């Protein structure tokens, strides 16, 4: 009942935006809200269900974005000819080195293995660079202004969403294998660092996805507005609905995205609910609430943690791919921890950790506030400063600083919820 | 192409004819972010052109051009897209003067301008990548591509007899693209580059970067960054550690703030900046000074020209619509026709109204080549006694 | 001569910058580690505490400059630091009263406090930007250099210059003084000893009549002092920008953990380990080796282990290695 009311409130907020501002703005908020809800479900799986403190959400979201480029962009034949084979060989070599090091770590006697592993890694790094560097130089010199990277596979962009999940799963597996033994604070710092490294790789490895030069004009699963406007029937239908053709086409595309995203969200939510109520879900919660006891009962805590960590990361990867598809571009420098990690955490905590519906609610509500706090702040400041003289320095400063209200508001909301409703708006049952 | 232009022009006419009034022009520049000290003068210059058109009384009957400002942030593609989206869908602008930095310009173009059929004229997006971007004939720029500036800067170095340099660039698409084209051009004329290293804006500490650059060596350090951000930090750190005394700078480094902060320490450094000389530039300076706009700043001329071109193209098309701007912009920018300088926009309107041809010269000797970008001329300047002094034009 | 040139180059580009940066990190890491030792959580808001305290210092500095009060060759900001500390201490005590105390009374899990500190981080972030804005601010004045590179070259006749900025020297001197004071306080005063006792064994400390709230309040005041000193020194040496301080959180945590979180000595060691490895791993050794090796062996390449683009990945790689192989850190801090 409470859930119904709160969701109705969110719906009213978004509809209100449509009526008061514009339907385009409302749909933009709705679409990013859907994406945020999936991210927040992913974090909820890790934190709410298993108590894993992952502060590397940004990294998985960015991997999803990378997947869109690698899957859907047309390949660049000249770059492949210049150094594609060599680059692939380097990656295989790198993987082989890491495997070898891992095997050595397991196989050798305790005393010598540290040195042996270090030696393998060092030699491996030099060999890896020796193979990779000429390849990247060759690839990056192929028409650097327009391409200068290998491109993708040229597959339909919708395929990029599961691929984003897979990519995130692969990295999550590696992180999980190394870092999940650590708990709470340490895992947080480790994941925070790894996310930054993922962004650093995205920014600097131009041969992979053009680095900071960005990839723009990514393929879309929906028609372009301009093509719609030229479709003869479309203009008539738009006129029939009393809309001008440009507005109709932009709305058409945004509604299309909303439907696609909503389909994914519903599927994910149903699966998450099933998982939560399954014996597996009960076991996860048992582990979360008392690890020692669960371990004593013969549950493999490490393996379960790895499982749920990968699952949660997959959701973040899928959401990241969806977001990049929506943006139509991959811009590595736009990934900021405040926006892509900590804001998602605010969503989960406010919505209600451990409750999937709560996470979804938090995703919509917090995203709405994140977008709308600025205009609301402007209005508020206008009201507060109405009495001051037009050229008052304080008045101008306050009006100029309105955009910083956002961070402040998010912090205050998070603190208030933690204090007065520590289990969130929709508490775990 | 032509067909849809006609079609959408007709549809716009149908909706627009009833209410002849304001035609809104978006002015999207980075009021916050790494070039925030340049943005106000750029926006003011663009608005200067629009008010000149309005004041002339010769513009399309009953139509007033109204600028609507928005913040591109220069680097945050998502924020710029949202701001542009608001301009187009809420405010209903018919054309955009902007955006400024290359990355956000590409994003706004592909995400907002193309879907909505709104033309953009950027005064300062200089990335070579934008030359070949898919734009449906909607993207123009009055600033030349960095592919050209790379060559100019390489020329300047050769002229000074410098054969070996270290390069540092701001780690974004502008810096990286510029560095690519400079590296290629400098190596083509036989120069050697000891190291090309990026720097991140907004980091307080550049000692690691400077250490590597100093170790690589070179006669001068080429800095392709922003004067309000990492570029200044790099120069400061290089001076402090004695790594380099002389700097060759790209267009993003030209600002009075740089001189104010570093003063005489960088005497003898030099650089290039898109600039024009001649009657147009002089006319613009007088006009801007009279209106209280800072003329001697980066990209003010280009901004004025961008806005003036939008107005002229509307006049030529006979209606304040997106389609008219896109279809006629190249026509009014290039020969044949009566040459038009800043301050003569009223005269140009008259000529067009009488069915004549104009060739907009503007403040920067506008000549749009290729897919609608400026051929461009550059000012080669040197810093003497804590002030920019012109060496030559290229 | 070549050997001297090599040493000077190394000192100029590696030792001095890393020493100054290391001191700044060490002071930051001390703050984090103290909170961890006494309040038992990782404070994500520490970077922004530094930003907000430094902001107060900057305003007072500007005020003093406007009044014409200065320290001659030394930066005016040194005079303003006590005001900054007062401001930050007041803010932290207020935050503790309004936020953290509630969870302490509840005996909430540390991880909840970490999330709470994320909320505080957002709030501090917003306040700083709201008041001073997101931009670079410069507030350094006084003499810029103790030794400038040009003078050094003229004086020594070497090819390489050696620059020592006065802010770098001040950073190291102040850091040494602050650390000495802190250790004296922890080891020789009654309150300091009770803090250590509380950190070692809370139950026992409570039984022996130590008032936990006093310990906590003293800790916040010390943390405020450390944060403001670290932040002001960093801002003097480099520049002040709120976002930079937020980013400092990461190397500061790396320092604290590498040293062994909860251990003050470890925090200092960790700060220098992180600072030196960031510089050393990304330093191009070409120049130094060129001086040291005979001409025939001089390297053509840059002899750089890692591009400067990844400089800040270095601290995390070290962090992760330490976490995996010696989770208690170099100086055996508390294991979680």
């Amino acid at each position: 009942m409470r859930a119904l009311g709160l969701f109705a409130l969110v719906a009213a907020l978004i509809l209100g935006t449509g009526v008061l501002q514009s339907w385009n703005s409302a749909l933009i908020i709705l679409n990013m809200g859907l994406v945020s809800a999936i991210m927040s479900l992913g974090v909820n799986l890790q934190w709410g269900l298993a108590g894993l403190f992952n502060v590397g959400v940004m990294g998985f979201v960015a991997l999803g974005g990378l997947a869109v480029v690698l899957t859907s962009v047309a390949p660049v034949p000249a770059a492949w000819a210049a150094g594609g084979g060599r680059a692939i060989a380097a990656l295989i070599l790198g993987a082989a080195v890491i495997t070898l090091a891992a095997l050595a770590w397991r196989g050798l006697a305790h005393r010598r293995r540290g040195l042996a592993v270090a030696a393998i890694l060092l030699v491996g790094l030099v060999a890896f660079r020796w193979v990779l560097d000429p390849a990247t130089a060759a690839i990056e010199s192929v028409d650097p202004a327009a391409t200068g990277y290998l491109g993708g596979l040229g597959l339909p962009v919708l395929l990029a969403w599961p691929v984003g999940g897979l990519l995130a799963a692969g990295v999550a597996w590696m992180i999980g294998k190394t870092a999940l033994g650590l708990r709470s604070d340490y895992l947080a710092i480790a994941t925070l660092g790894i996310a930054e490294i993922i962004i650093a790789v995205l920014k600097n490895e131009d041969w992979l996805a053009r680095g900071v030069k960005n990839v723009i004009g990514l393929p879309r699963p929906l028609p372009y507005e301009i093509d719609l406007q030229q479709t003869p029937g479309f203009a008539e239908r738009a006129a029939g609905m009393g809309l001008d053709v440009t507005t109709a086409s932009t709305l058409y595309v945004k509604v299309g995205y909303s439907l696609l995203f909503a389909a994914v969200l519903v599927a994910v939510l149903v699966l998450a609910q099933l998982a939560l109520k399954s014996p597996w879900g009960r076991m996860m919660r048992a582990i979360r609430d008392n690890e020692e006891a669960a371990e004593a009962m013969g549950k493999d805590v490490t393996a379960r943690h790895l499982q749920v960590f990968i699952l949660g990361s997959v959701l973040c990867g899928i959401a990241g791919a969806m977001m990049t598809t929506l943006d139509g571009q991959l811009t590595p420098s736009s990934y900021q921890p405040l926006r892509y990690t900590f804001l998602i955490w605010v969503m989960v905590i406010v919505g209600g950790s451990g409750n999937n519906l709560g996470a979804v609610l938090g995703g919509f509500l917090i995203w709405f506030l994140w977008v709308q706090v600025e205009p609301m702040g402007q209005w508020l400041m206008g009201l507060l400063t109405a009495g001051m003289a037009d050229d008052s320095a304080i008045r101008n400063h306050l009006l100029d600083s309105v955009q910083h209200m956002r961070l402040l508001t998010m912090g205050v909301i998070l603190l208030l919820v933690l204090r007065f409703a520590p289990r969130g708006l929709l508490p775990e049952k | 192409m032509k067909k849809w232009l006609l079609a959408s022009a007709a549809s716009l006419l149908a909706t627009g004819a009833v209410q002849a009034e304001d035609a809104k022009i978006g002015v999207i520049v980075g009021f916050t972010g790494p070039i925030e000290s340049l943005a106000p003068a750029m926006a003011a210059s663009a608005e200067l052109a629009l008010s000149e058109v309005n004041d002339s009384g010769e513009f399309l009957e009953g139509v007033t051009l109204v600028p609507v400002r928005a913040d591109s942030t220069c680097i945050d593609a998502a924020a710029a897209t949202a701001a542009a989206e608001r301009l187009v869908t809420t405010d209903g602008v018919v054309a955009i003067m902007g955006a400024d930095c290359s990355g956000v310009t590409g994003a706004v173009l592909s995400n907002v301008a193309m879907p909505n059929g709104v033309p953009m004229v950027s005064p300062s997006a200089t990335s070579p990548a934008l030359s070949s971007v898919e734009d449906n004939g909607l993207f123009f720029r009055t600033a030349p591509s960095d592919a050209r500036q790379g060559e100019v800067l390489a020329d300047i170095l050769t002229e000074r007899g410098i054969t070996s340099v270290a390069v540092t660039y701001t780690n974004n698409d502008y810096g990286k693209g510029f560095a690519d084209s400079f590296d290629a051009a400098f190596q083509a004329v036989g120069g050697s580059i000891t190291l090309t290293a990026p720097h991140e804006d907004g980091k307080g500490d550049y000692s690691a970067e400077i250490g590597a650059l100093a170790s690589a060596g070179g006669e001068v350090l080429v800095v392709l960054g922003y004067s309000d951000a990492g570029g200044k930090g790099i120069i400061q750190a290089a001076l402090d550690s004695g790594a380099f005394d002389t700097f060759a700078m790209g267009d993003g480094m030209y600002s009075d703030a740089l001189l104010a902060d570093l003063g005489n320490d960088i005497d003898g450094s030099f650089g290039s900046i898109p600039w024009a000389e001649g009657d147009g530039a002089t006319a613009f300076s007088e006009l801007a000074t009279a209106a209280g706009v800072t003329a001697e700043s980066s990209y003010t001329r280009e901004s004025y020209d961008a806005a003036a071109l939008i107005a002229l193209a509307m006049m030529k098309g006979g209606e304040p619509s997106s389609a008219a701007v896109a279809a006629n912009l190249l026509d009014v920018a290039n020969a044949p026709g009566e040459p038009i300088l800043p301050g003569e926009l009223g005269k140009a309107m008259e000529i067009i109204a009488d069915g004549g041809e104009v060739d907009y010269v503007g403040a920067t000797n506008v000549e749009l080549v290729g897919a609608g970008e400026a051929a461009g001329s550059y000012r080669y300047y040197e810093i003497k006694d804590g002030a920019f002094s012109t060496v030559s034009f290229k | 001569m070549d050997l001297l040139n090599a040493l000077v180059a190394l000192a100029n580009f590696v030792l001095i910058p890393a020493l100054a940066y290391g001191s700044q990190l060490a002071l930051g890491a001390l703050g984090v580690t103290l909170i961890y030792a006494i309040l038992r959580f990782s404070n994500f808001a520490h970077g922004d505490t530094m930003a907000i305290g430094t902001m107060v210092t900057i305003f007072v500095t500007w005020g003093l400059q406007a009044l014409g009060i200065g320290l001659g060759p030394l930066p005016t900001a040194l005079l303003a630091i006590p005001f900054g500390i007062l401001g930050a201490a007041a803010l932290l005590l207020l935050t503790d009263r309004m936020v953290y105390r509630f969870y302490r009374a509840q005996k909430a899990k540390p991880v909840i406090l970490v999330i709470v500190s994320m909320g505080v981080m957002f709030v501090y972030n917003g306040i700083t930007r709201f008041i001073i804005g997101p931009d670079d601010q410069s507030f350094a004045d006084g003499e810029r250099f103790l030794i400038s590179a040009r003078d050094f070259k003229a004086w020594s006749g070497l090819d390489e210059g050696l620059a020592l900025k006065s802010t770098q020297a001040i950073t190291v001197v102040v850091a040494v003084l602050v650390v000495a004071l802190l250790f004296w306080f922890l080891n020789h005063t009654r309150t300091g000893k009770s803090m250590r006792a509380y950190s070692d064994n809370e139950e026992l400390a409570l039984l022996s009549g130590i008032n936990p709230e006093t310990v906590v309040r003293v800790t916040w005041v010390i943390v405020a002092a450390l944060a403001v000193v670290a932040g002001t020194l960093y801002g003097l040496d480099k520049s002040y920008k709120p976002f930079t301080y937020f980013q400092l959180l990461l190397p500061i945590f790396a320092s604290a953990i590498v040293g062994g979180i909860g251990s003050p000595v470890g925090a200092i060691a960790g700060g220098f380990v992180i600072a030196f490895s960031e510089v050393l791993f990304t330093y191009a050794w070409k120049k130094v080796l060129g001086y040291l090796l005979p001409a025939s062996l001089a390297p053509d390449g840059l002899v750089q282990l890692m591009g400067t683009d990844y400089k800040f990945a270095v601290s995390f790689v070290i962090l992760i290695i330490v976490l995996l192989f010696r989770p208690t850190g170099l100086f055996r801090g508390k294991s979680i």
Side-chain angles (χ1 to χ4, degrees):
Chain A
M1 203 54 226
R2 184 187 169 97
L4 210 61
L6 285 165
F7 274 104
L9 172 74
V10 169
L13 286 174
I14 293 176
L15 289 175
T17 308
V19 174
L20 293 175
Q21 295 184 355
S22 82
W23 288 104
N24 266 308
S25 307
L27 282 170
I28 290 174
I29 294 176
L30 175 67
N31 285 342
M32 268 313 291
L34 287 163
V35 172
S36 304
I38 296 176
M39 291 182 193
S40 123
L41 270 176
V43 173
N44 186 40
L45 216 53
Q46 294 173 340
W47 168 245
L49 195 56
L52 294 175
F53 197 13
N54 171 17
V55 197
V57 182
M58 172 179 75
F60 298 107
V61 172
L63 282 172
L66 176 66
V68 176
V69 172
L70 295 184
T71 313
S72 67
V73 174
V76 182
W80 276 101
R86 195 170 175 138
I88 298 294
L91 293 183
I92 294 172
L93 177 74
V97 168
I98 291 175
T99 317
L100 191 66
L103 286 179
W105 181 254
R106 245 179 250 166
L108 289 180
H110 199 301
R111 200 169 295 166
R112 280 194 222 131
R113 64 182 189 180
L115 272 181
V117 169
I120 292 173
L121 287 179
L122 198 67
V123 173
L125 178 69
V126 172
F128 175 69
R129 293 271 312 255
W130 179 74
V131 179
L132 184 66
D133 286 358
T136 57
I139 293 169
E140 284 170 20
S141 64
V142 176
D143 191 8
T147 56
Y149 72 131
L150 289 174
L153 298 172
L155 298 170
V157 67
L158 284 182
L159 268 181
W161 299 0
V163 171
L166 279 179
L167 213 54
V171 173
W173 181 77
M174 282 193 280
I175 298 173
K177 272 294 191 191
T178 45
L180 273 187
L182 315 161
R183 260 178 294 151
S184 58
D185 306 32
Y186 279 16
L187 179 64
I189 311 277
T191 46
L192 192 64
I194 289 163
E196 293 289 346
I197 291 177
I198 291 173
I199 303 298
V201 169
L202 271 188
K203 277 169 102 168
N204 293 303
E205 299 305 318
D206 290 13
W207 59 275
L208 191 63
R210 279 171 60 81
V212 293
K213 289 187 288 183
N214 307 339
V215 184
I216 55 175
L218 290 169
R220 293 173 30 165
L222 292 165
Y224 283 91
E225 288 86 342
I226 211 75
D227 295 332
L228 280 177
Q229 290 159 21
Q230 291 164 66
T231 315
F234 186 80
E236 284 166 27
R237 262 181 295 153
M241 292 167 69
L243 291 167
D244 74 275
V245 70
T246 314
T247 314
S249 64
T250 50
L251 288 177
Y252 177 90
V253 171
K254 290 194 179 78
V255 170
Y257 274 120
S258 307
L259 293 175
L260 281 174
F261 290 174
V264 177
L265 177 64
V266 168
V268 167
L269 186 61
V270 167
L271 287 176
Q273 282 299 73
L274 288 178
L276 190 70
K277 300 210 166 106
S278 70
W280 181 83
R282 280 198 298 277
M283 173 176 63
M284 291 311 305
R285 272 173 291 166
I287 294 178
R288 177 194 66 189
D289 293 338
N290 193 338
E291 223 165 272
E292 283 80 17
E295 199 141 31
M297 300 281 287
K299 304 293 178 204
D300 186 348
V301 171
T302 320
R304 294 290 85 76
H305 273 171
L306 183 64
Q307 224 170 31
V308 80
F309 184 72
I310 291 177
L311 280 177
S313 304
V314 165
L315 290 189
C316 294
I318 293 175
M322 288 161 56
M323 191 187 74
T324 302
T325 312
L326 179 68
D327 287 348
Q329 58 188 344
L330 179 68
T331 48
S333 45
S334 64
Y335 290 101
Q336 302 280 352
L338 274 179
R339 159 73 182 83
Y340 290 105
T341 297
F342 294 109
L343 192 65
I344 310 299
W345 269 91
V346 177
M347 293 171 182
V348 175
I349 304 286
V350 169
S353 41
N355 184 333
N356 289 324
L357 280 177
V360 172
L361 176 79
F364 280 111
L365 191 65
I366 294 299
W367 178 253
F368 178 85
L369 288 174
W370 179 256
V371 175
Q372 296 290 16
V373 156
E374 199 175 328
M376 287 195 270
Q378 216 132 26
W379 176 81
L380 190 70
M381 282 296 160
L383 213 65
L384 279 180
T385 56
M388 298 185 202
D390 266 356
D391 54 349
S392 147
I394 297 175
R395 174 170 191 258
N396 289 332
H397 179 84
L398 285 176
L399 287 177
D400 285 347
S401 312
V402 158
Q403 72 250 38
H404 307 306
M405 292 274 289
R406 238 184 213 181
L407 295 169
L408 197 66
T409 317
M410 290 304 135
V412 171
I413 291 175
L414 180 61
L415 289 177
L416 287 177
V417 167
L418 277 171
R419 175 77 178 256
F420 298 107
R423 298 170 66 211
L425 295 178
L426 293 179
E428 186 180 2
K429 286 182 197 101
Chain B
M1 174 85 178
K2 201 164 189 180
K3 221 180 200 169
W4 80 256
L5 276 180
L6 285 174
S8 46
S11 67
L12 274 167
L13 258 185
T15 53
V18 232
Q19 10 158 322
E21 37 18 278
D22 293 351
K24 288 179 181 165
I25 312 283
V27 175
I28 308 185
V29 285
F31 293 105
T32 64
I35 67 162
E36 60 196 8
S37 68
L38 306 180
M42 288 169 65
S45 300
E47 286 159 6
L48 182 63
L50 298 183
S51 57
E52 184 185 334
V53 170
N54 289 335
D55 295 347
S56 75
E58 303 285 343
F59 196 56
L60 297 165
E61 194 163 337
V63 180
T64 312
L65 294 174
V66 181
V68 188
R69 289 189 180 195
D71 183 8
S72 80
T73 72
C74 182
I75 38 169
D76 183 348
T81 307
E85 184 86 35
R86 178 173 60 79
L87 282 186
V88 172
T89 59
T90 310
D91 293 319
V93 303
V94 290
I96 292 170
M97 193 309 289
D100 48 357
C101 301
S102 305
V104 295
T105 306
V108 170
L109 175 64
S110 67
N111 294 334
V112 182
M114 287 213 323
N116 293 293
V118 174
M120 293 171 70
V121 188
S122 169
S124 59
T126 54
S127 163
L130 289 169
S131 300
S132 54
V133 74
E134 193 185 326
D135 67 347
N136 288 344
L138 290 172
F139 180 65
F140 308 90
R141 49 179 165 177
T142 51
S145 155
D146 285 330
R148 171 102 177 86
Q149 192 180 176
E151 289 165 18
V152 169
L153 205 53
D155 272 358
I156 293 175
L157 290 166
T158 327
E159 226 171 78
R160 297 177 78 100
I162 293 167
T163 55
S164 158
V165 299
V167 181
T168 178
Y169 62 88
T170 175
N171 202 10
N172 65 19
D173 55 339
Y174 155 74
K176 179 73 180 158
F178 194 176
D180 282 345
S181 68
F182 170 77
D183 286 5
F186 193 55
Q187 276 161 353
V189 296
S192 77
I193 289 163
T194 56
L195 174 65
T196 305
H199 60 260
E200 296 285 339
D201 285 327
K203 284 245 149 101
D205 179 28
Y206 295 103
S207 47
E209 285 84 354
I210 288 298
L213 288 164
S215 180
E219 292 166 62
V220 303
L221 179 62
V222 178
V223 184
L224 312 176
Y226 297 115
S227 58
D228 289 357
K232 190 186 92 186
I234 281 277
I235 290 187
Q236 183 79 65
L239 285 171
D240 286 352
S241 62
F244 294 91
D245 304 319
T246 319
F247 305 89
M249 296 178 283
D251 55 341
M253 296 299 295
Y254 183 94
S255 82
D256 293 330
L258 185 74
L259 287 188
D261 287 348
L262 296 173
N264 290 328
D265 293 344
I266 49 171
D267 265 4
S269 293
F270 53 92
S272 60
I273 168 90
W275 206 277
E277 57 170 351
D279 301 341
T282 321
F284 172 73
S285 289
E286 286 166 6
L287 200 66
T289 314
V293 175
T294 320
E296 301 300 310
S297 172
S298 300
Y299 298 118
T300 49
R301 295 161 199 76
E302 285 80 1
S303 302
Y304 177 90
D305 287 351
L309 282 172
I310 291 173
L312 288 173
M314 284 179 180
M315 188 70 193
K316 183 83 182 178
E319 58 176 30
S321 71
S322 301
V325 176
N328 296 299
L329 202 132
L330 283 180
D331 188 21
V332 292
N334 292 346
E338 175 81 16
I340 300 296
L341 295 180
E344 299 180 341
L345 296 179
K347 182 177 121 192
M349 299 295 162
E350 251 175 85
I351 296 174
I352 297 175
D354 297 342
E357 291 273 349
V358 294
D359 169 18
Y360 183 71
V361 173
T364 59
N365 300 329
V366 174
E367 190 66 47
L368 298 188
V369 295
E373 58 189 37
S377 63
Y378 288 87
R379 171 182 172 202
Y380 161 26
Y381 65 85
E382 187 173 326
I383 298 172
K384 281 184 185 149
D385 304 323
F388 294 111
S389 78
T390 306
V391 180
S392 64
F393 282 89
K394 294 196 170 280
Chain C
M1 210 51 156
D2 275 354
L3 182 68
L4 273 181
N5 270 323
L7 284 178
V8 170
L10 201 63
N12 194 23
F13 291 112
V14 176
L15 292 183
I16 294 179
L19 211 59
Y21 182 40
S23 313
Q24 291 146 8
L25 284 187
L27 289 174
L30 269 176
V32 166
T33 231
L34 273 184
I35 297 178
Y36 192 84
I38 306 291
L39 292 135
R40 313 202 196 281
F41 72 97
S42 305
N43 183 12
F44 272 55
H46 195 71
D48 293 297
T49 309
M50 282 166 64
I52 231 168
T54 310
M55 176 180 76
V56 177
T57 311
I58 291 177
F59 280 126
V60 175
T61 308
W62 285 343
L64 290 174
Q65 283 168 348
L67 291 174
I69 301 170
L71 282 176
L74 294 174
T76 314
L78 290 183
L79 267 184
I81 284 181
F83 298 95
I85 294 176
L86 276 181
L91 180 75
L92 285 179
L93 289 174
L94 184 74
T95 313
D96 186 67
R97 178 72 188 73
M98 286 176 57
V99 183
Y100 295 121
R101 200 174 76 164
F102 173 76
Y103 300 96
R104 216 167 33 247
Q106 277 198 330
K107 299 226 177 293
K109 282 191 282 184
V111 72
I112 299 296
L113 278 164
V114 176
I115 298 176
V116 170
S117 79
M118 270 162 41
V120 174
M121 174 185 83
F122 269 107
V123 172
Y124 284 8
N125 231 309
I127 294 178
T128 315
R129 283 169 171 74
F130 206 79
I131 296 179
I132 203 168
D135 307 329
D136 248 327
Q137 311 289 347
S138 85
F139 61 102
D141 53 6
E143 211 52 59
R144 246 190 106 62
F145 290 101
L146 278 188
I147 311 166
S148 85
R150 227 170 271 190
D151 294 347
F152 181 85
K153 279 192 210 175
W155 170 78
S156 65
L158 290 173
D159 293 338
E160 288 299 321
L162 180 76
L164 181 60
K165 283 197 291 179
S166 37
T167 51
Q168 292 170 325
I170 291 170
T171 297
V172 177
V173 171
V174 171
V176 169
L177 287 178
V178 167
V179 169
L181 198 65
L182 177 69
F183 278 75
W184 174 82
F185 175 80
L186 287 179
N187 290 318
H188 295 284
T189 63
R190 213 184 141 74
T191 325
K193 282 180 193 164
S194 58
M195 275 174 69
R196 281 172 47 222
Y198 184 83
S199 158
D200 284 343
N201 190 332
E202 198 177 326
E203 311 293 320
L204 211 61
L206 292 180
L207 281 179
S208 59
I210 291 172
N211 178 0
E213 286 304 308
T214 315
V215 169
V216 167
R217 272 198 295 273
V218 172
T219 308
W220 280 120
V221 173
I222 296 175
V223 166
L226 287 169
V228 173
V229 171
T232 307
L233 291 176
Y234 188 89
L236 277 177
D237 190 24
K238 280 118 189 175
S239 75
Y240 176 82
K241 187 173 182 176
F243 188 64
T244 315
Y245 282 64
F246 168 72
Q247 284 184 315
L248 269 181
L249 186 68
L250 308 167
I252 283 177
F253 262 112
S255 308
I257 293 179
V258 166
I261 196 157
S263 150
V265 185
I268 297 165
F272 286 105
V273 167
I274 294 294
F276 271 90
S277 43
E278 266 192 22
V279 180
L280 284 177
F281 272 94
T282 55
Y283 186 63
W285 292 89
K286 179 185 176 192
K287 200 174 203 174
V288 172
L289 291 179
Y291 282 123
L292 291 179
L293 298 173
S296 57
L297 282 179
D300 286 333
L302 287 168
V303 205
Q304 193 181 14
L305 276 174
M306 219 181 251
T308 42
D309 350 348
Y310 287 111
K311 100 173 159 185
F312 114 112
V314 172
S315 50
F316 290 110
V317 172
I318 295 178
L319 171 69
I320 286 165
I321 292 174
V322 168
L323 282 183
L324 289 179
F325 298 110
R326 200 184 162 93
T328 50
L330 299 176
F331 282 80
R332 295 246 172 254
K334 292 177 182 300
S335 173
I336 307 175

